[in-house]
């Protein structure tokens, strides 16, 4: 059995660590560099960094902040936000990232996934999916719709169909974020996570809604996720990563232990 990964998420706006609920009402809560260092020291398996307004503002990612985070940690580091070209990917990798997360631009230009996979390998390309539950219809038969521009723009694209297409194009991993659950701390969207995890062959990271260790246990078992993204529960120091991993270990979920 492969170890399940616990991955803190750094949402960054104007160089500051920020957090909101359902992609709205964000408040600044600290320094992303300090947070990355703390989570690395606590035993995080990876760090995810999102420049959350880059796509909506039509600008490049904040490379200087990416570099400063990369200099402080020695675990896999995934970066997304405002990445539109293979050259953008190259600059982020040169800044210290191991993985590139593409979301809005990949929906608008799916060949970006294939081009990135050819240039750097599928293992470097993470498909970010921001998904909202709607009433199922012929265009969105799964009842889960892709939303882009940081949750601002509905696409009419079925999330399951898009996940399969991105895998075909060469994505090596999916980070699946439920907008409905994001920041609520009421638990992950289990049905969505299981739907995608069962239908694709690449790893799926569950995102959105973690509030207590039981939520991670649920999404890693019933939801079939390969990894769980966490934010509020560690940003606000409600739990440490060591406590979360200890809880999972006691209940038979294998994680990488560093102590």
């Amino acid at each position: 059995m492969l170890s399940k990964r616990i991955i803190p998420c750094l949402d960054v706006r104007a160089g500051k660590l920020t957090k909101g609920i359902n992609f709205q009402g964000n408040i600044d809560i600290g320094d992303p560099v300090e947070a990355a260092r703390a989570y690395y020291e606590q035993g995080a398996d990876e760090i995810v960094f999102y420049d959350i307004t880059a796509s909506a503002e039509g600008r490049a990612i904040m490379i200087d902040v990416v570099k400063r985070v990369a200099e402080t940690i020695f675990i896999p580091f995934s970066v997304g936000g405002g990445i539109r070209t293979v050259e953008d990917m190259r600059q982020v990798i040169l800044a210290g990232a191991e993985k590139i997360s593409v979301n809005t631009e990949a929906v608008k230009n799916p060949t970006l996934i294939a081009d990135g996979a050819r240039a750097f390998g599928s293992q470097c390309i993470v498909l970010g999916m921001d998904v909202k539950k709607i009433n199922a219809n012929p265009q969105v038969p799964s009842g889960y719709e892709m939303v882009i521009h940081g949750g601002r723009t509905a696409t009419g694209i079925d999330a399951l169909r898009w996940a399969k297409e991105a895998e075909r194009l060469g994505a090596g991993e999916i980070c699946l974020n439920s907008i409905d659950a994001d920041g609520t701390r009421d638990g992950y969207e289990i049905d969505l996570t299981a739907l995608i995890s069962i239908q694709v062959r690449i790893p799926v990271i569950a995102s959105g809604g973690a509030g207590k260790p039981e939520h991670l246990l649920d999404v890693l078992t019933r939801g079939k996720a390969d990894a769980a993204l966490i934010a509020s529960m560690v940003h606000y120091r409600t739990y440490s990563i060591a406590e979360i991993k200890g809880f999972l270990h006691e209940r038979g979920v294998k994680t990488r232990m560093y102590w």
Side-chain angles (χ1 to χ4, degrees), residues 77-234:
F77 181 33
S78 178
V79 174
I83 295 171
R84 298 173 180 83
T85 66
V86 170
E87 183 55 31
D88 290 341
M89 294 180 181
R90 190 183 315 279
Q91 291 304 313
V92 170
I93 289 172
L94 290 173
E98 282 82 19
K99 299 180 183 180
I100 306 299
S101 181
V102 290
N103 187 328
T104 294
E105 193 62 31
V107 172
K108 294 162 61 178
N109 175 26
T111 59
L112 180 63
I113 297 171
D115 293 344
R118 278 194 296 269
F120 308 111
S122 289
Q123 79 285 349
C124 285
I125 307 302
V126 180
L127 176 71
M129 294 178 60
D130 295 330
V131 179
K132 191 169 183 63
K133 187 173 178 60
I134 65 169
N135 292 326
N137 59 66
Q139 190 175 9
V140 186
S142 74
Y144 290 102
E145 181 181 16
M146 284 296 303
V147 182
I148 58 174
H149 294 133
R152 297 168 179 84
T153 306
T155 66
I157 296 172
D158 185 84
L160 177 58
R161 181 175 67 79
W162 176 229
K164 290 180 176 180
E165 175 63 7
E167 179 183 29
R168 185 190 69 80
L169 288 168
E173 191 167 51
I174 291 171
C175 187
L176 179 64
N177 189 53
S178 166
I179 293 177
D180 302 296
D182 179 76
T184 64
R185 299 190 240 182
D186 291 332
Y188 297 91
E189 224 282 23
I190 300 298
D191 292 341
L192 168 64
T193 307
L195 174 72
I196 303 296
S197 296
I198 291 169
Q199 292 289 328
V200 299
R201 298 181 301 275
I202 55 179
V204 172
I205 304 168
S207 174
K212 56 186 180 180
E214 288 84 352
H215 294 154
L216 281 82
L217 177 65
D218 204 20
V219 82
L220 294 171
T221 53
R222 286 202 305 123
K224 310 298 182 184
D226 298 277
L229 215 66
I230 53 177
S232 299
M233 61 191 297
V234 288

